[in-house]
Amino acid sequence: MKKRILVSGGAGYIGSHVTVELLEAGYEVVVADNMSNCDRSGFEGVRQITGKEDIPFVEMDFCDAAAVERLFDEYRIDAVIHFAAFKAVGESVAEPIKYYRNNLTSLLNVLEAARSHGGCNILFSSSATVYGEAAELPVTEQSPRLPATSPYGNTKQICEDMLRDTVASDRSIRGIALRYFNPIGAHPSALIGELPRGVPNNLVPYITQTAIGKRSCLSIFGNDYPTPDGTCLRDYIDIVDLARAHVAAVTRMVEGRMKEDYEIFNVGTGRPVSVLELVSAFEQVNGLKLNYRFADRRPGDVVAIWADTSLANRELGWTARRTLAETLASAWAWEKHLAGR
Ligand code: UDP
């Protein structure tokens, strides 16, 4: 029998790419989303890419405990990939209660439903934000987690702990936390990608919107950092590579190959890239000039972070494959697709 994966938040940016890769790897997938931060186009894109018309889709809120229980009653679920969460750092500072309520409650409801249904494998989407401004680079999974600088970041730490403690108390539940670095780019078909609400906070959507003329000028936040060119260093991970890491992690769980009942993996490329390098790579790959200026540092930004990926490479048999050029070409193709629809 095919294994069935529940993808909470499966209509969003990362969830839609993961759903495609799961289906292409032969899994059955149930997509659930409350559509609070996306439209139907992500799910429609998944159907188009995979050619599958009959993917179960449930519109529901993971903060509704009874609805989560009903979902587990209705479907036999071998693993949950839990994306359903708010993710805007700035908004989380302005509205912490909204972030704590949503991000913690939805995972609690998944954990409770897993318990009441005889156990489950749970993959939690965490973030490199848990490392803060790391003293040593690259960061390994053993690097210390530093106090979070935003409620959003704190929910990632608390959710990791909720999963770890639940796994420790209940042998029928296993968990993996994937710590993402900076996911960017879009599916090579240009049928799914990131759909930022309003003015983008993240670098790559801001770049593509500037290139297409939706924004007049990219502000590069800080050029006096202690880095080779003065701009911040990040580890930009291609969205399809990131999605493939989920397939590898879920497969490890459902095939019973985990070494511990709770495991953590960094998902990045292991390669630091500065903001300026990213901008010039984007210009070069896509043959255009970007209007940008240097601006003040953005409060809360860390100077540099990139991953030691050797654990994921070894244990998941996964490695990032797409080049930065391919990824930035896909981001631009997606922006053009959006402009044309
Ligand atoms: N950045 C920038 N201009 C923007 C958005 C981001 O210079 O309009 C920089 C930001 O300061 C950081 C890097 O790009 O150094 C990545 O930022 P992003 O928000 O994409 O991800 P983060 O690493 O903050 O999660």
Side-chain angles (χ1 to χ4, degrees), residues 85-296:
F86 294 148
K87 60 172 185 180
V89 177
E91 187 187 44
S92 80
V93 175
E95 295 188 73
I97 295 171
K98 174 175 161 180
Y99 271 67
Y100 286 114
R101 186 186 304 284
N102 186 63
N103 293 7
L104 305 190
T105 308
S106 60
L107 179 60
L108 282 175
N109 289 340
V110 168
L111 293 170
E112 281 196 322
R115 264 171 74 89
S116 64
H117 288 78
C120 201
N121 297 294
I122 298 171
L123 194 162
F124 175 64
S125 85
S126 191
S127 165
T129 191
V130 301
Y131 297 117
E133 186 78 76
E136 280 178 45
L137 290 165
V139 287
T140 73
E141 291 77 358
Q142 266 72 53
S143 298
R145 291 189 324 186
L146 298 185
T149 53
S150 72
Y152 159 77
N154 206 19
T155 68
K156 291 296 173 195
Q157 297 206 5
I158 297 169
C159 284
E160 282 192 353
D161 294 346
M162 284 172 14
L163 180 56
R164 179 201 61 203
D165 295 346
T166 305
V167 165
S169 73
D170 185 334
R171 300 242 36 209
S172 70
I173 297 179
R174 280 171 302 273
I176 289 183
L178 294 183
R179 291 179 177 160
Y180 314 148
F181 284 68
N182 288 58
I184 61 164
H187 193 268
S189 65
L191 291 170
I192 52 174
E194 193 168 0
L195 268 182
R197 248 187 327 168
V199 182
N201 292 312
N202 295 116
L203 179 61
V204 169
Y206 209 104
I207 289 178
T208 56
Q209 289 196 5
T210 305
I212 206 117
K214 265 173 105 171
R215 313 273 157 217
S216 58
C217 182
L218 168 75
S219 295
I220 293 183
F221 300 136
N223 63 342
D224 56 354
Y225 283 105
T227 60
D229 65 20
T231 65
C232 294
L233 297 170
R234 295 287 183 276
D235 184 335
Y236 295 94
I237 173 76
D238 180 89
I239 187 70
V240 177
D241 281 333
L242 178 77
R244 289 176 34 251
H246 290 73
V247 176
V250 143
T251 303
R252 179 179 175 91
M253 290 203 279
V254 301
E255 290 183 354
R257 288 191 281 108
M258 291 175 69
K259 290 195 174 148
E260 312 279 346
D261 287 340
Y262 173 66
E263 296 178 331
I264 300 171
F265 298 102
N266 284 342
V267 185
T269 65
R271 186 183 57 217
V273 173
S274 76
V275 178
L276 266 181
E277 281 171 331
L278 193 94
V279 167
S280 6
F282 181 85
E283 290 181 325
Q284 203 187 341
V285 168
N286 297 310
L288 40 82
K289 275 270 160 238
L290 200 72
N291 192 22
Y292 69 83
R293 66 182 183 98
F294 292 113
D296 289 345

